[in-house]
Amino acid sequence: MTHSQRLGRNKNLRTVFFGMGGATSALVLGALLAAGVDVRGVVLAAGRFARATRPEPIVALPPPLLALRAPGEPSAAQLAHDHGIALLELRHAGEPATLQAIAALRPDIACVACFPLRLPAPLLAIPPLGFLNMHPSLLPRHRGPAPLFWAFRAGEHETGVTIHRMDENFDTGPIALQSPVALPDGIGGDAAERACSRLGAELMVAALRSLGGGTLALQPQPPGGGYEPWPASGSWWIEAGWPARRAFNFMRGAESWGRLYRLRVAGRDLALAGALSFAPDAVLGAPLREQGETVQIQMSPGVLCARLAWSRAQSD
């Protein structure tokens, strides 16, 4: 189903959208609006600084704050303003004022795309049909806030998008719809996120269409999977025992994070600034070869060529 298809004769559910200021939330919200979904409110997560400095658990953002539009595609806030939709900024999800503000919108259903705050049971219980979340992985794999990062780090050639009903835990609720997304060699994280967002937008509209027609089936998540946290400093280490393809694709996929990749090989500590190429079956004849600002590293199997940030003798 394309974004332009309407909900037709199905019940047009009163919907509240939860998201952030980035492209993923804007793309999904835009798809809902293009499909004719009755969006009654847009709730955006306040930044960490705002949550720490403002006492109100939830505040309305009036249109004058949105007078200056950002270049490029409209944000979720801009879409709300353009369509005359109530726009709220959420700081604390479980406070009585938050529950009252969401209940006042009288939602049948809530849709979530890239929302960082845990939603407590009293909030989840407000829409009679619950909350549907778009998660960019094939659940139960890669639960948590950075599923694409961990898919790249694991060397996976496919990820996906899951629409699931939310419960109090992160990404554990029953599955409504699910579809794969390919991760070809060398794809960047931003491109992969956009591919997942486009597919997720279509799946969210399809889920609402089925829910409005009374045909949406929910299935418990299969066993397995697990929660993966926000990447820590150790998450950027790679191993010479990895295949060259895995290291190359991880480095390309995580490049937008702007971090250095660390590697220890042949008594050297290396910091790599980015991946240049890989030869999946090549044999270098040495553990590594440094050539100015580039380095070739014998992986298992294959050879990785990368930009070298610095190199030094390994310390104990």
Side-chain angles (χ1 to χ4, degrees):
M1 187 182 73
T2 64
H3 294 172
S4 61
Q5 289 178 291
R6 312 291 287 183
L7 295 181
R9 296 182 179 178
N10 293 335
K11 181 182 178 182
N12 200 353
L13 302 172
R14 295 187 301 270
T15 303
V16 174
F17 178 83
F18 284 70
M20 294 180 66
T24 293
S25 296
L27 200 155
V28 176
L29 176 60
L32 299 183
L33 294 171
V37 173
D38 183 11
V39 179
R40 297 294 181 94
V42 172
V43 182
L44 302 182
R48 185 174 300 175
F49 178 77
R51 292 200 300 272
T53 58
R54 294 284 297 273
E56 304 93 335
I58 190 167
V59 296
L61 297 182
L65 296 181
L66 304 174
L68 297 177
R69 296 177 63 90
E73 297 180 358
S75 66
Q78 291 165 353
L79 286 169
H81 176 46
D82 291 348
H83 288 80
I85 298 169
L87 178 61
L88 304 174
E89 188 177 59
L90 179 61
R91 291 168 173 78
H92 304 288
E95 296 292 328
T98 297
L99 305 180
Q100 293 168 9
I102 301 304
L105 298 172
R106 300 178 56 245
D108 298 309
I109 183 75
C111 295
V112 182
C114 198
F115 194 79
L117 304 180
R118 184 187 293 272
L119 302 182
L123 181 57
L124 294 172
I126 289 174
L129 297 175
F131 278 66
L132 290 178
N133 180 50
M134 186 207 84
H135 186 75
S137 82
L138 295 174
L139 291 173
R141 293 186 61 81
H142 304 305
R143 297 184 180 117
L148 278 171
F149 175 90
W150 295 109
F152 280 120
R153 196 174 194 283
E156 296 174 5
H157 302 294
E158 180 183 83
T159 184
V161 175
T162 302
I163 305 296
H164 70 98
R165 187 170 184 177
M166 296 181 72
D167 56 24
E168 288 188 81
N169 297 315
F170 283 121
D171 309 320
T172 57
I175 293 171
L177 295 172
Q178 193 172 66
S179 188
V181 173
L183 295 176
D185 287 341
I187 188 172
D190 290 343
E193 181 179 359
R194 192 159 188 83
C196 288
S197 299
R198 287 195 182 105
L199 175 60
E202 295 180 3
L203 293 181
M204 186 67 83
V205 172
L208 288 178
R209 183 182 179 91
S210 296
L211 189 60
T215 60
L216 186 67
L218 298 173
Q219 300 294 332
Q221 292 190 25
Y227 179 85
E228 293 168 321
W230 199 252
S233 58
S235 306
W236 303 93
W237 282 83
I238 61 178
E239 302 289 340
W242 288 9
R245 173 176 272 112
R246 175 183 174 183
F248 174 81
N249 285 330
F250 169 52
M251 294 173 69
R252 283 292 179 90
E255 188 172 21
S256 60
W257 292 70
R259 299 287 297 271
L260 296 177
Y261 307 87
R262 299 292 303 280
L263 174 70
R264 286 178 175 171
V265 59
R268 305 292 295 175
D269 274 337
L270 306 179
L272 308 179
L276 297 173
S277 63
F278 76 99
D281 301 310
V283 176
L284 188 60
L288 75 160
R289 289 179 182 166
E290 297 182 36
Q291 298 174 323
E293 296 181 354
T294 65
V295 62
Q296 292 178 298
I297 304 164
Q298 181 66 59
M299 307 296 285
S300 183
V303 172
L304 172 69
C305 182
R307 289 185 288 115
L308 184 63
W310 52 258
S311 170
R312 64 192 179 203
Q314 185 175 328
S315 58
D316 294 335

